[in-house]
Amino acid sequence: MANLEPYGFPSSLEQLWLTSRGEDTFEVACIPFRVYGLALGDRVGLDPAGQQVTELLEKSGHRVFRVLLLPTLSDNEATQLHGAIDDATARCRLISEWSGDRHIAIDLPPGSNIDIVWALIKDAADDGRIAWEWGDVEQFQAGDVK
């Protein structure tokens, strides 16, 4: 789990998939949706109970690009944009994960070309259909281990 309290979500945690890389080291094996400063492949340390990420040990070089399809979109518009984003990420050979049908996290490995995705996202943002952010606009903070 990653504590989301340092990012304005009191009493909230994000579940992360981790792979063991040694006795005290784990690798992030998913694309984080809400925690800042972590990305796929980053190496992290856990609390003594092994339940919560407490430190970022090594960056993988990956970045997370997050997009939210705004609630002002009709279900039909959201479905169409969802499909267009899936198509653009596939054409760029990127992996992504959806949380529900309106929030996507896209993994950007080092050297990725996101031109096709960016063109779509920029147009949708300019039209007020989506909000987007980089997952590393803030550094990882463990907050108080619960």
Side-chain angles (χ1 to χ4, degrees):
M1 297 290 188
N3 186 357
L4 297 177
E5 199 159 317
Y7 313 108
F9 299 99
S11 303
S12 296
L13 300 170
E14 179 175 358
Q15 180 179 356
L16 299 174
W17 291 93
L18 304 175
T19 302
S20 179
R21 293 294 181 225
E23 188 174 318
D24 297 323
T25 304
F26 296 84
E27 184 175 297
V28 177
C30 64
I31 307 169
F33 275 91
R34 291 168 187 86
V35 67
Y36 288 93
L38 294 181
L40 182 67
D42 287 354
R43 294 192 182 237
V44 297
L46 302 180
D47 67 336
Q51 297 297 309
Q52 193 168 314
V53 176
T54 56
E55 62 182 322
L56 172 61
L57 302 171
E58 182 182 347
K59 295 290 293 171
S60 64
H62 289 237
R63 294 184 78 190
V64 178
F65 188 63
R66 299 176 179 142
V67 177
L68 176 67
L69 282 61
L70 295 176
T72 54
L73 290 176
S74 70
D75 288 343
N76 187 43
E77 291 170 319
T79 298
Q80 289 178 359
L81 188 52
H82 182 134
I85 292 170
D86 280 345
D87 180 60
T89 56
R91 290 175 58 203
C92 288
R93 295 193 171 114
L94 300 172
I95 62 171
S96 62
E97 296 181 27
W98 285 90
S99 175
D101 59 356
R102 290 186 181 243
H103 189 198
I104 185 172
I106 303 169
D107 173 59
L108 302 174
S112 299
N113 180 342
I114 66 163
D115 291 347
I116 296 168
V117 172
W118 177 245
L120 175 65
I121 297 307
K122 184 179 178 331
D123 286 347
D126 289 348
D127 292 345
R129 295 180 289 152
I130 59 114
W132 65 271
E133 71 175 358
W134 291 105
D136 56 3
V137 295
E138 293 185 39
Q139 292 184 354
F140 172 73
Q141 301 174 50
D144 294 329
V145 176
K146 308 235 187 265

